[in-house]
């Protein structure tokens, strides 16, 4: 541990105040989400705890608000702060898993396309191109729609999480494949790869031990951007009714539910989940940006 | 005489540089081929340094990559210590591994030839690990430290990353890596071109010392004649994928027979000649996609005469070296005739 605190990365982290603030916010979001069942003031999905008498309460600093519900309640009397914490749990889970899946698929295929080249390259990249001509959300809709047909009706709710992770993950892989392929093409022609070939290192080893570490830099940055994209995709899918079921609402579901009440004056139902989403996305992004610079040995 | 350690026989390398099939069909373009190296034959004796010189694009680096097995030759064969380099490319048996271990390469650009994300110790240890020469552990660390010592670096430098070193130091790391598998033959693809003059001398002297200590054989590729003069025993001059003159360094540099060699030597800047105009090498290198007929050098040659643009001269033994030039051969012939008529 002391080695970490002596390292260049920790030094550059300490000397970047923006990153420190962003990291603190990101950690707050992540801990709030992960520890929701323990630290949330209410359990909004426990019917015994909610009361319709508390419905549509404004945030506590407005005259008619109650201190018990700091950010107000929705039309069913659920505490907004608690729903945000439970919701971001699902949003984060979906986004992180979808991005991880797309990284594995995209980096793998991109590396293969760039390194092997020729027909393999053409086939992989044409598939990526074709997929990119469709809006990502349409692809996700299509895939989750098709996947639903194969899942038995009584298991749909329990498998919804996996279906949505898969359908969002599939929409994201071409970004990684393209980036990784183009950096692989650059790295492949560098002399250190030729040196490894002269030494007699096997092609797979060159691919994974020499080329892969050198093409991962941009992947990290895209991954953080894509976590934001994935959260938004998930929200859209949930809004369209093919995402998370109402029994497990995500941040996106909360925003889209809340917007029904915007015009009747209950702005807090949609605005607070929205702010939570922005804080989460921006802070994760800033941390990713810093990480890109910190991990680049040439900038150290 | 024993068989030479390295033997190239009629080696050619052709690259297909045609447009994609669809464009060729639609635009009715023919297929085009680049003859990077044509019909190249030379030998290198054990412990000797052969230098190949020539302008950019004459195929020097292609020769290096052919010998080391990065490219497969289109025709001809590369034999190293009696074994065809082709087996190192195609098979993965014990003989192929042993052959690969024997031949190593030092690259031109020290900034690109070391993986930026690997520690120097891992870079130097890579050939050892790949060929499983020494198991991981204290023995390997010791070997790496010794290799770094050969190139005047310390064991502590092994902990650093390549970007923490200067160009000359990186090139020395490159040499340490090349030595790691106990090679017998090193191919140096212009290893000093990216370095300062002062550092060049340092690297060249190091290479000479290592050659003496370990009995290495070098193929040294360069465009810098002074560097070549410093390190080589024999010199081959290449022009457009062919050797035009090859022989002992003293012979070739002392009394160049091919007009191209003469032009290259005349173009060297010299401190004693400050103020005087030097003779530049006239003209441009012709397009290798469409080389001139006959002798490839004929459009630039000051001694061009009758057969030069019709037939290609072959390498002929003259004055203790081989030259491919009609002018040189006929001068030799007329000289012998004069001698004969006089006697």
């Amino acid at each position: 541990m002391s080695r970490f605190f002596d390292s260049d990365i920790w030094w550059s982290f300490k000397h970047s105040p923006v990153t420190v603030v962003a990291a603190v916010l990101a950690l707050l979001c992540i801990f709030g989400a992960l520890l929701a069942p323990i630290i949330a003031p209410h359990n909004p999905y426990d019917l015994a705890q909610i009361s319709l008498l508390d419905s549509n309460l404004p945030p506590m600093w407005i005259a008619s608000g109650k201190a018990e519900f700091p950010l107000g309640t929705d039309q069913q009397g659920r505490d907004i702060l608690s729903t945000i914490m439970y919701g971001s749990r699902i949003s984060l889970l979906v986004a992180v898993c979808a991005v991880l899946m797309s990284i594995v698929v995209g980096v793998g295929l991109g590396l293969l396309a760039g390194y092997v080249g020729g027909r393999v390259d053409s086939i992989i990249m044409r598939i990526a191109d074709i997929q990119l001509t469709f809006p990502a959300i349409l692809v996700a809709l299509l895939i989750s729609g098709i996947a639903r047909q194969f899942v038995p009706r009584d298991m749909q709710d329990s498998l919804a999480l996996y279906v949505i992770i898969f359908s969002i993950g599939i929409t994201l892989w071409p970004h990684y494949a393209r980036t990784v392929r183009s950096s692989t093409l650059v790295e492949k022609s560098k002399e250190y790869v030729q040196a490894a070939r002269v030494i007699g290192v096997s092609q797979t080893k060159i691919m994974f031990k020499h080329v892969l570490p050198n093409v991962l830099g941009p992947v990290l940055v895209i991954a953080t951007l894509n976590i934001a994209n994935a959260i938004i995709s998930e929200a859209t899918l949930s809004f369209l009714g093919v995402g998370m079921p109402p029994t497990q609402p995500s941040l996106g579901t909360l925003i889209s539910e809340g917007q029904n009440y915007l015009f009747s004056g209950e702005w807090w139902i949609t605005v607070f989940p929205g702010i939570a989403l922005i804080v989460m996305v921006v802070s994760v992004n800033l941390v990713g940006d810093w990480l890109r610079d910190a991990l680049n040995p040439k900038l150290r | 005489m024993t068989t030479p350690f390295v033997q190239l026989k009629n080696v050619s390398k052709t690259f297909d540089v045609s447009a994609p099939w669809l464009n060729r069909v639609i635009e009715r373009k023919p297929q085009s081929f680049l003859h990077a190296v044509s019909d190249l034959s030379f030998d290198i004796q054990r412990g000797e340094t052969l230098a190949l010189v020539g302008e950019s694009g004459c195929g020097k680096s292609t020769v290096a990559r052919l010998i080391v097995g990065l490219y497969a030759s289109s025709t001809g064969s590369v034999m190293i210590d009696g074994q065809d380099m082709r087996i190192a490319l195609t098979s993965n048996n014990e003989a192929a591994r042993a052959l690969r271990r024997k031949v190593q390469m030092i690259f031109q650009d020290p900034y690109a030839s070391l993986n930026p994300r690997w520690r120097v110790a891992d870079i130097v240890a890579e050939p050892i690990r790949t060929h499983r020469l020494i198991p991981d552990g204290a023995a390997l660390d010791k070997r790496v430290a010794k290799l770094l010592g050969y190139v005047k670096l310390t064991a502590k430098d092994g902990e650093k990353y390549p970007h923490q070193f200067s160009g000359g130091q990186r090139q020395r790391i490159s040499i340490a890596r090349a030595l790691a598998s106990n090679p017998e033959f090193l191919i140096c693809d212009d290893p000093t071109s990216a370095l300062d003059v002062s550092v060049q001398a340092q690297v060249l002297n190091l290479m000479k010392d290592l050659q003496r200590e370990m009995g290495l054989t070098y193929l040294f590729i360069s465009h810098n004649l002074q560097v070549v003069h410093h390190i080589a025993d024999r010199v081959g001059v290449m022009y457009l994928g062919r050797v035009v003159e090859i022989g002992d360094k003293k012979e070739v540099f002392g009394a160049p027979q091919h007009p191209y060699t003469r032009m290259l030597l005349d173009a060297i800047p010299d401190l004693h000649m400050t103020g005087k105009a030097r003779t530049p090498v006239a003209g441009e290198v012709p397009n290798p996609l469409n080389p001139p007929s006959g002798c490839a050098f004929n459009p630039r040659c000051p001694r061009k005469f009758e057969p030069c643009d019709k037939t290609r001269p072959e390498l002929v033994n003259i004055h203790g070296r081989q030259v491919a030039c009609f002018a040189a051969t006929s001068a030799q012939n007329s000289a012998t005739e004069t001698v004969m008529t006089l006697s």
Side-chain angles (χ1 to χ4, degrees):
Chain A
M1 202 61 193
S2 70
R3 249 184 87 180
F4 172 75
F5 286 108
D6 289 337
S7 69
D8 305 344
I9 294 186
W10 181 248
W11 188 89
S12 94
F13 179 75
K14 272 194 306 189
H15 287 75
S16 164
V18 176
T19 311
V20 174
V21 172
V24 168
L25 284 175
L27 281 179
L28 264 178
C29 290
I30 292 167
F31 278 118
L34 290 180
L35 302 177
I38 302 165
I39 58 169
H42 303 268
N43 181 352
Y45 306 110
D46 181 0
L47 291 175
Q49 282 189 30
I50 57 174
S51 156
L52 273 179
L53 292 174
D54 294 326
S55 65
N56 290 336
L57 286 174
M60 58 189 274
W61 58 86
I62 290 172
S64 52
K66 280 187 188 172
E68 199 188 335
F69 305 106
L71 300 180
T73 60
D74 65 4
Q75 75 285 357
Q76 291 173 37
R78 296 184 294 204
D79 175 36
I80 297 288
L81 180 63
S82 305
T83 55
I84 288 174
M85 288 168 83
Y86 277 85
S88 46
R89 207 169 134 88
I90 291 167
S91 289
L92 264 182
L93 181 72
V94 169
V96 169
C97 291
V99 167
L100 282 180
M101 180 192 141
S102 62
I103 286 176
V104 172
V105 176
V107 171
L109 289 176
L111 195 63
L112 198 70
Y115 195 76
V116 177
R119 211 160 280 176
V120 177
D121 180 27
S122 303
I123 292 171
I124 292 174
M125 293 327 288
R126 286 308 81 71
I127 293 173
D129 287 347
I130 291 168
Q131 199 191 307
L132 281 174
T133 58
F134 295 101
I137 202 67
L138 190 69
V139 177
L141 251 175
L142 208 78
I143 289 171
S144 68
I146 293 170
R148 264 153 199 275
Q149 293 302 310
F150 292 101
V151 175
R153 195 159 282 274
D154 54 327
M155 285 171 72
Q156 269 184 7
D157 275 8
S158 52
L159 288 178
L161 188 70
Y162 303 105
V163 171
I164 197 164
I165 287 172
F166 179 76
S167 43
I168 293 172
I170 281 294
T171 63
L172 295 175
W173 76 269
H175 301 283
Y176 299 97
R178 280 189 157 188
T179 319
V180 168
R181 173 183 174 268
S182 63
S183 0
T184 303
L185 288 177
V186 173
E187 296 298 325
K188 185 174 85 165
S189 63
K190 286 200 181 155
E191 285 177 344
Y192 70 85
V193 172
Q194 294 181 4
R197 284 178 59 198
V198 171
I199 289 167
V201 183
S202 72
Q203 298 286 359
T204 19
K205 258 196 179 163
I206 294 178
M207 224 163 88
F208 288 107
K209 290 182 77 180
H210 281 283
V211 180
L212 185 63
N214 281 296
V215 298
L216 280 183
V219 168
L220 199 67
V221 182
I222 304 176
T224 54
L225 287 169
N226 271 346
I227 284 187
N229 279 344
I231 292 173
I232 289 161
S233 297
E234 183 274 329
T236 316
L237 288 181
S238 299
F239 180 76
L240 293 171
V242 289
M244 294 307 295
T247 47
Q248 298 165 270
S250 61
L251 266 187
T253 326
L254 295 176
I255 296 169
S256 55
E257 269 176 21
Q259 55 116 15
N260 296 327
Y261 302 93
L262 259 183
F263 291 112
S264 50
E266 284 103 17
W267 52 269
W268 54 89
I269 302 178
T270 190
V271 165
F272 290 120
I275 291 172
L277 185 71
I278 291 169
V279 169
M280 203 148 88
V281 166
V282 170
S283 57
V284 169
N285 238 328
L286 285 171
V287 172
D289 254 7
W290 159 80
L291 210 58
R292 174 193 54 184
D293 295 344
L295 290 182
N296 188 343
K298 284 170 204 155
L299 287 179
R300 257 189 228 163
Chain B
M1 199 178 131
T2 51
T3 47
F5 184 54
V6 180
Q7 194 170 27
L8 270 74
K9 265 192 196 149
N10 308 98
V11 173
S12 303
K13 177 68 188 173
T14 313
F15 292 103
D16 186 352
V17 290
S18 317
W21 174 80
L22 200 61
N23 296 42
R24 281 209 313 273
V25 171
I26 295 171
E27 296 162 16
R28 292 177 189 281
K29 277 188 189 155
Q31 275 190 296
S32 53
F33 295 97
L34 179 89
H35 300 278
V37 172
S38 330
D39 203 19
L40 197 70
S41 305
F42 59 76
D43 301 338
I44 309 175
Q45 303 296 335
R46 198 181 278 272
E48 181 187 56
T49 302
L50 173 73
L52 281 183
V53 296
E55 285 164 290
S56 325
C58 72
K60 296 173 299 200
S61 293
T62 310
V63 174
R65 282 163 172 70
L66 278 171
I67 296 178
V68 91
L70 284 173
Y71 297 151
S73 55
S74 307
T75 60
S77 67
V78 179
M79 305 287 282
I80 290 166
D81 209 6
Q83 281 173 300
D84 196 325
M85 202 58 199
R86 203 165 297 239
I87 63 165
L89 280 172
T90 48
S91 50
N92 201 24
N93 54 24
E94 202 50 48
R97 294 182 147 272
L99 188 54
R100 262 189 235 133
R101 203 163 58 74
K102 250 183 234 178
V103 185
Q104 284 298 317
M105 184 159 171
I106 299 168
F107 288 87
Q108 184 167 12
D109 182 0
Y111 294 91
S113 60
L114 305 174
N115 189 334
R117 298 201 180 258
W118 283 32
R119 285 180 198 277
V120 167
D122 292 325
I123 292 174
V124 174
E126 192 183 21
I128 304 173
R129 291 199 173 116
T130 305
H131 295 290
R132 297 195 189 86
L133 301 176
I134 301 172
D136 275 27
L140 181 64
D141 295 345
K142 218 173 133 193
R143 171 76 177 144
V144 169
K146 197 175 168 197
L147 285 163
L148 288 172
Y150 282 146
V151 296
K152 315 272 185 306
L153 292 167
T154 61
K156 238 186 136 193
D157 290 327
E159 294 300 306
K160 298 183 191 162
Y161 286 94
H163 67 94
Q164 291 167 294
F165 293 93
S166 70
Q169 287 172 320
R170 281 164 177 244
Q171 202 58 290
R172 271 148 51 198
I173 295 168
S174 218
I175 295 174
R177 171 178 61 187
L179 293 174
S181 62
N182 291 320
E184 293 166 35
F185 181 35
L186 278 190
I187 293 152
C188 318
D189 183 8
D190 222 344
T192 57
S193 69
L195 307 177
D196 287 347
V197 180
S198 53
V199 183
Q200 279 184 7
Q202 188 193 19
V203 169
L204 289 174
N205 289 335
L206 175 69
M207 288 178 65
K208 271 192 140 174
D209 293 345
L210 291 170
Q211 179 173 38
R212 208 175 309 122
E213 282 166 39
M214 304 182 186
L216 298 167
T217 308
Y218 286 148
L219 172 67
F220 194 94
I221 288 168
S222 181
H223 62 269
N224 187 333
L225 292 173
Q226 279 153 328
V227 166
V228 167
H229 190 261
H230 184 76
I231 198 154
D233 300 317
R234 280 168 65 229
V235 179
V237 181
M238 279 187 75
Y239 189 75
L240 228 59
R242 286 172 195 278
V243 166
V244 295
E245 181 164 5
I246 184 167
D248 200 70
K249 170 178 75 178
K250 290 200 187 80
E251 305 282 346
V252 174
F253 280 179
Q257 291 299 308
H258 198 282
Y260 179 61
T261 317
R262 195 171 300 247
M263 273 172 117
L264 285 180
L265 287 169
D266 285 345
I268 300 177
D270 185 345
L271 278 179
H272 303 298
M273 281 172 61
T274 316
K276 282 188 221 161
R278 291 193 313 274
T279 329
V281 178
E284 297 279 330
V285 182
N287 183 359
L289 281 174
N290 184 21
S293 62
C295 173
F297 188 59
N298 84 69
R300 300 166 76 183
C301 185
R303 294 170 71 187
K304 176 186 171 186
F305 68 114
E306 186 63 38
C308 290
D309 55 357
K310 295 191 182 66
T311 38
R312 186 168 42 235
E314 298 296 327
L315 279 171
V316 187
N317 283 312
I318 303 174
H319 299 302
R321 92 285 310 266
Q322 290 182 295
V323 185
C325 177
F326 289 124
T329 331
S330 65
Q332 159 89 356
N333 288 344
S334 58
T336 8
E337 274 164 31
T338 332
V339 173
M340 278 166 72
T341 40
L342 281 176
S343 55

